[in-house]
DNA sequence: CGGCATTGATACCGCGCGGGTATCCATCGC
DNA sequence: GCGATGGATACCCGCGCGGTATCAATGCCG
């Protein structure tokens, strides 16, 4: 099976439309039809149900969609990491660390500081990305290592080490009545009048339904809280860089959040190993 | 990057010889030289150092060897799992479970029994393989789920659940002086005169150096112990199916062994989920 | 119920690329 | 210095990928 065939199939399976898929791939529709037919012939498996008006996935097709995406990510990762390894010999870049924008700020700063003072440290690029994108970044080679937060992020298919766990706080507009208390419980903040919980983008790029505002990153979130449009439950370390017009109150019975450092399972890079060692010794 | 190019490169990188690699791939040597040159040109990266007498990997080449193998495994997995999914609709096979030959016998039997009596169970093929091969089987799609034993097997890059932990025993020829004791310590069995520890095949297919015999599976091992050529430290559950001419003595300070059920991280199969649920409830 | 738009499949064509053979050139061993 | 070894180069052929034109089946509309 060639990656070209996989790319073609994934495009059709995602669009469920040969014309649009062909457009997305930058080829004409007939060669695409032919390529899919040939793939099915070679596999000896029907992947799509076509009714000349509509296209649907068979059971085998769904399997190939999932597995094919993973395989394409692995190929992309091979490409990117090879290119980066070549640059590394000639000098500059080193590791790419990815984390959620606006999370674990001081932990990250401490880690980068400690690592930079190691004898054979290499430059570390920091990449900030949206919620749930880190795993993909690691899998397709855009990043080498990530800071994740359990239980929010899944560490499925990754190697990881725990760095620390912390409680959570509810972040409210300064002056909100609840800020007078020194602690609250989940029940107290589950349904705050006028402050519905924000809706975050899911892994599929869509937002769940509900009354709260859609948020993409922490800056947006803070601004919306300052405007009294929403509230949020966040790890207590967020207090370190909270805006002056926000206040945080510990939520004693919120699930504890574990910050982990995670990396793709087969990495053999010495620089990565040193960074991880530094992180676990913090 | 096409899988054909990856296969070609991996062959050359493993053989470090264009002629032999071409032979292995079933093509002539010149097209192979060209394909590698083209791959290097497209990546913009030197992968091999050629000196017209010898071939060596560059740093980038080593990265591509590791990452490329993983990517090819992922593509193979997509192929195999798709084929199997198609068969599943028409009837017979279901899940493939892989474990080390001769380990966790009764646990496996209990698991298969319990699962078979579930309402919507599918047939489970059991595959036995050598030490350290299971991870590869899961990654390239030859198996769906495995029983592994920590700390011996690595669960890197896999999802898993712990099933049970147990102590270890030293297995000796019946009548050996130590079998008179009801327990021993690691120090007592570290260097048994005349019974050097067996040498097991490593992940790269080679055996470490040392005085002990090479063993590939448990049957061989038992036979060699019965012949007083070696001894072994094994999980205590091995006592259930020990030959009559062997004896086991608990080793009180040996590391405890954890049996885990492991599967590739992105599986979405309902049958697999049911099997795992059954396993964790045992 | 007939015309039209939509959408996937088929027919056919041209060229680029992968693979083959023959050969060259550099290096090593004697 | 000569042959053997091993990778690169030159050249040719045929398959296969991608393109255009067209067909065929289905759903929508009047």
């Amino acid at each position: 099976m060639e990656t070209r065939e996989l790319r073609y199939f994934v495009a059709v399976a995602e669009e469920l439309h040969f014309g649009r898929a062909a457009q997305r791939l930058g080829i004409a529709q007939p060669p695409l039809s032919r390529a899919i037919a040939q793939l099915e012939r070679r596999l000896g498996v029907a992947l799509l149900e076509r009714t000349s008006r509509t296209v649907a996935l068979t059971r085998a097709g769904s399997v190939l969609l999932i597995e094919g995406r993973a395989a394409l990510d692995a190929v992309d990762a091979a490409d990117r990491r090879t290119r980066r390894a070549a640059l590394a010999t000639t000098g500059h870049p080193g590791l790419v660390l990815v984390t959620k924008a606006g999370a674990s700020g001081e932990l990250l700063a401490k880690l980068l500081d400690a690592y930079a003072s190691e004898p054979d440290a290499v430059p570390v690029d920091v990449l900030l990305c949206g919620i749930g994108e880190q795993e993909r970044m690691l899998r397709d080679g855009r990043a080498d290592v990530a800071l994740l937060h359990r239980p929010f992020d899944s560490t499925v298919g990754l190697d990881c080490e725990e760095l620390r766990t912390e409680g959570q706080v509810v972040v409210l507009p300064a002056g909100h009545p609840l800020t007078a208390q020194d602690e609250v419980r989940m029940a107290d903040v589950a349904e705050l009048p006028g402050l519905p919980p924000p809706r975050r983008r899911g892994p599929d790029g869509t937002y769940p339904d509900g009354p709260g505002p859609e948020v993409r990153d922490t800056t947006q979130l803070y601004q919306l809280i300052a405007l009294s449009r929403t509230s949020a439950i966040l790890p207590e370390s967020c207090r370190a860089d909270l805006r002056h017009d926000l206040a945080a109150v510990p939520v004693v019975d919120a699930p504890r959040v574990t910050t982990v450092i995670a990396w793709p399972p087969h990495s053999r890079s010495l620089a990565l190993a040193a960074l991880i060692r530094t992180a676990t010794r913090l």
Side-chain angles (χ1 to χ4, degrees), chain A:
Chain A
M1 205 159 30
E2 291 302 312
T3 62
R4 186 182 53 85
E5 301 176 289
L6 272 182
R7 265 188 284 270
Y8 285 8
F9 173 74
V10 169
V12 175
E14 284 178 356
E15 300 282 348
L16 291 178
H17 190 289
F18 280 75
R20 280 195 302 273
Q23 202 171 355
R24 194 172 111 185
L25 293 165
I27 65 172
Q29 170 260 318
L32 180 57
S33 287
R34 239 190 8 206
I36 301 293
Q38 173 177 319
L39 176 61
E40 288 180 305
R41 201 161 1 102
R42 284 213 263 249
L43 283 173
V45 166
L47 300 171
L48 300 167
E49 310 265 10
R50 293 95 137 161
T51 67
S52 109
R53 287 297 285 184
T54 174
V55 176
L57 285 171
T58 64
R59 173 194 291 283
S62 323
V63 170
L64 187 56
L65 177 57
I66 302 284
E67 299 278 337
R69 278 191 190 127
L72 288 176
D73 279 347
V75 173
D76 285 352
D79 184 315
R80 273 190 262 262
R81 295 215 168 94
T82 304
R83 289 191 149 95
R84 290 248 321 284
L87 292 180
T89 60
T90 73
H92 49 136
L95 293 168
V96 177
L97 184 151
V98 61
T99 188
K100 276 193 282 291
S104 300
E106 18 65 271
L107 180 64
L108 177 56
K110 264 197 295 188
L111 169 58
L112 293 177
D113 253 25
Y115 176 68
S117 65
E118 290 275 311
D120 45 5
V122 301
V124 176
D125 282 6
V126 175
L127 202 60
L128 300 175
C129 72
I131 293 160
E133 294 178 43
Q134 291 120 308
E135 194 197 327
R136 183 102 206 287
M137 295 264 184
L138 290 179
R139 278 196 300 133
D140 74 6
R142 278 176 291 178
D144 302 304
V145 59
L147 291 183
L148 302 180
H149 300 86
R150 285 199 300 229
F152 306 122
D153 300 316
S154 131
T155 55
V156 146
L158 302 174
D159 254 23
C160 60
E161 289 282 346
E162 300 191 359
L163 296 185
R164 74 155 172 215
T165 80
E166 55 187 323
Q168 298 198 73
V169 295
V170 59
V171 179
L172 298 164
H176 187 280
L178 275 181
T179 60
Q181 308 193 16
D182 11 315
E183 59 177 54
V184 297
R185 306 187 70 83
M186 289 296 279
D188 302 327
V189 296
E191 297 220 351
L192 292 172
L195 302 179
R199 289 177 293 135
R200 316 202 186 208
R201 191 164 49 171
D204 51 355
T206 65
Y207 292 87
D209 287 338
E214 296 179 354
V215 306
R216 272 198 43 236
D217 58 47
T218 311
T219 312
Q220 281 184 12
L221 179 61
Y222 284 170
Q223 187 155 5
L224 287 164
I225 299 175
L227 293 168
S228 289
R229 314 299 297 222
T230 188
S231 63
I233 296 176
L234 297 176
E236 61 194 10
S237 63
C238 74
R239 301 180 97 156
D241 43 32
L242 216 54
R243 301 160 44 143
H244 68 279
D245 51 359
L246 298 179
V249 182
V251 182
V252 289
D253 58 346
R256 291 182 66 77
V257 176
T258 304
T259 304
V260 304
I261 185 168
W263 60 94
H266 45 75
S267 302
R268 289 275 168 275
S269 149
L270 292 176
L272 176 58
L275 179 66
I276 293 161
R277 207 175 333 111
T278 305
T280 56
R281 282 207 286 246
L282 276 186

